Amino acid sequence: MPRRNKIALIGAGNIGGELAALAARSELGDVVLFDIAEKEGVAKGKALDLEQNGAVLGYDAGITGSSSWAEVAGSDVVIITAGVPRKPGMSRDDLLSVNLKIIRNVAENLKKHAPDAFVIVVSNPLDVMVYELKRVTGFAGNKVVGMAGVLDSGRFQLFLAREAGVAVKDVRAMVLGGHGDTMVPVVSYCTINGIPVRQIVPADKLAAIVERTRNGGGEIVKLMGTSAFYAPASAAISMATSYLKDQKRLLPAAAHLQGEYGYNDLYLGVPVVIGAGGVERVVTIELSAEEKAMLDKSAAAVRELIEASKNL
Ligand SMILES: NC(=O)c1ccc[n+]([C@@H]2O[C@H](COP(=O)([O-])OP(=O)(O)OC[C@H]3O[C@@H](n4cnc5c(N)ncnc54)[C@H](O)[C@@H]3O)[C@@H](O)[C@H]2O)c1
């Protein structure tokens, strides 16, 4: 007997609310919007508002707000945005000590209540948070993934499309590496409907776009005093959808590496295939010497933060 998917959203803040709206609107499944006891009213209020939104728009999804982990039990997908976002002037790494405690608490509870879920981590600093979630839960690497690459690539694609004067959907690009200042927009594989981008966008403009992409999150934090949430939510939902519908999309995501690209026991943004088996495989691509050097630098920065987290 077919049943509806169950999607638990841990954190009912800005991204959590938008995740719930997107999941409900596309009838991806029933949604549990979870937050801490002090924010249970917010979680319940957003859930009720979104159910009523369905009555207006004509979608049907059960949406529940809760601060009880029992409600999360049996989830097919869990998306974690629990934690604090950046304020102007902060780097993602500045969030480490606060969000580490939160992710450890979430991990202990998921281990108990949702051991079979496909887990997508969004909280920052992303690569360390997803590493810690896997370490504490002991879940298999293919069932724990981090969202950053889809968002960073989206930003890269948008800036390129605007510069080239073409439709954004015709620009294909990938951003790999850690979700921080060292991220690697991979220019050598970037195309506009198959045409290498270097044939269309001049080198100096390309360099400026790479730089703007690296600072894409910070640009928004500076404008509105907190992190982006529409595009981050859409990015995580595209990953959840690929899992639930076995779409086998090839997307950049923070994946558990065990020797791929020369890195062992590390989470880093690489191309992966997401289907019913979770992260079904890491796709290894050839990189130019310059790009591999950038990826090495990014991996070293993530490793350093993971080491720092061990003392916290
Ligand atoms: N990976 C990415 O690309 C990306 C992009 C944007 C933002 N982020 C990160 O996502 C996170 C969430 O951002 P936001 O804008 O939604 O923040 P927000 O402050 O609006 O929401 C976070 C929510 O988490 C809740 N929370 C705190 N501790 C919790 C716990 N133990 N269990 C459950 N919930 C808990 C808070 O009460 C709050 O409602 C931040 O860390 C931000 O830096 C990541």
Side-chain angles (χ1 to χ4, degrees):
M1 173 89 169
R3 65 168 189 90
R4 289 192 194 181
N5 294 315
K6 181 170 176 180
I7 301 153
L9 308 173
I10 313 301
N14 281 341
I15 305 179
E18 180 62 10
L19 285 168
L22 291 169
R25 210 175 276 202
S26 58
E27 296 187 341
L28 206 52
D30 289 336
V31 174
V32 176
L33 201 46
F34 177 95
D35 211 302
I36 50 177
E38 298 90 304
K39 291 285 181 72
E40 192 178 39
V42 174
K44 283 187 185 298
K46 285 191 182 185
L48 196 54
D49 187 10
L50 284 168
E51 282 202 315
Q52 292 165 4
N53 197 30
V56 177
L57 293 179
Y59 62 73
D60 203 345
I63 309 167
T64 315
S66 181
S67 64
S68 160
W69 279 103
E71 294 278 350
V72 172
S75 295
D76 300 287
V77 169
V78 173
I79 307 178
I80 303 169
T81 62
V84 294
R86 285 194 280 172
K87 292 202 169 62
M90 287 173 92
S91 83
R92 295 177 180 90
D93 298 358
D94 293 335
L95 305 172
L96 181 66
S97 61
V98 176
N99 285 353
L100 202 57
K101 288 189 190 76
I102 293 173
I103 205 81
R104 285 175 180 155
N105 169 268
V106 170
E108 292 291 356
N109 281 295
L110 287 183
K111 197 173 158 180
K112 216 179 293 170
H113 298 281
D116 299 320
F118 180 57
V119 182
I120 303 170
V121 178
V122 178
S123 314
N124 273 321
L126 190 271
D127 308 273
V128 186
M129 291 296 123
V130 62
Y131 180 91
E132 194 65 7
L133 191 286
K134 182 193 176 314
R135 191 187 69 76
V136 176
T137 57
F139 290 174
N142 65 312
K143 297 298 280 293
V144 180
V145 69
M147 187 293 290
V150 177
L151 170 66
D152 295 327
S153 303
R155 288 174 173 156
F156 192 30
Q157 285 163 359
L158 173 75
F159 302 149
L160 287 166
R162 292 292 185 261
E163 177 58 39
V166 301
V168 71
K169 68 179 175 188
D170 288 335
V171 181
R172 306 309 313 158
M174 266 196 301
V175 177
L176 305 181
H179 184 53
D181 304 341
T182 59
M183 69 178 73
V184 186
V186 186
V187 175
S188 62
Y189 284 101
C190 177
T191 72
I192 299 181
N193 223 345
I195 306 163
V197 74
R198 287 191 172 106
Q199 293 185 23
I200 295 180
V201 178
D204 59 328
K205 301 274 191 215
L206 210 45
I209 287 171
V210 163
E211 209 39 44
R212 189 174 177 197
T213 301
R214 288 208 176 104
N215 298 319
E219 185 179 351
I220 292 177
V221 172
K222 206 168 158 192
L223 286 167
M224 61 179 195
T226 190
S227 293
F229 47 94
Y230 294 117
S234 299
I237 287 291
S238 67
M239 294 165 70
T241 305
S242 192
Y243 171 74
L244 289 170
K245 299 191 174 176
D246 193 23
Q247 289 174 332
K248 304 202 189 295
R249 293 198 61 194
L250 192 156
L251 300 167
H256 189 236
L257 301 180
Q258 290 171 296
E260 297 93 341
Y261 291 89
Y263 313 124
N264 207 21
D265 190 31
L266 188 72
Y267 265 90
L268 196 70
V270 292
V272 298
V273 174
I274 297 179
V279 175
E280 296 186 343
R281 65 199 153 95
V282 170
V283 178
T284 310
I285 57 171
E286 276 178 35
L287 295 169
S288 68
E290 193 193 349
E291 286 162 350
K292 181 65 170 76
M294 283 196 279
L295 198 65
D296 284 345
K297 192 174 160 207
S298 193
V302 172
R303 182 86 73 195
E304 198 179 314
L305 215 56
I306 288 173
E307 287 306 315
S309 74
K310 289 181 182 164
N311 302 316
L312 292 169

